[in-house]
Amino acid sequence: MSRPSIAEISALVADLAAPRRNRTSADWAALMDRKAELLERVAAHTPGDAETAEVARLARERADSLKPSN
């Protein structure tokens, strides 16, 4: 897993801050998946940091719950 760049983090924060009125549920699910993936990468590069690992786990759980079930 590659270490997240500042540019990636900045882009995610900007997307999270963008107005939500035109966002579909699929758009929101994709954004939450990006957030979870980024946090998982942060956690992978901070071994031993239980709080970071827990934040990443919770973000992944939330992102997965937003995915449509087939």
Side-chain angles (χ1 to χ4, degrees):
M1 240 180 225
S2 65
R3 172 175 251 153
S5 69
I6 295 300
E8 288 175 297
I9 294 168
S10 295
L12 178 66
V13 169
D15 288 344
L16 287 168
R20 297 181 181 167
R21 70 186 136 196
N22 295 329
R23 216 177 261 160
T24 67
S25 58
D27 293 337
W28 185 249
L31 185 58
M32 292 301 100
D33 192 60
R34 269 180 61 206
K35 176 183 168 186
E37 188 268 337
L38 189 110
L39 289 170
E40 288 167 337
R41 289 170 47 207
V42 169
H45 286 277
T46 54
D49 186 337
E51 185 176 355
T52 300
E54 179 66 2
V55 168
R57 184 191 69 76
L58 291 171
R60 172 52 57 205
E61 187 177 286
R62 174 71 174 139
D64 288 348
S65 76
L66 296 172
K67 292 178 182 177
S69 54
N70 296 337

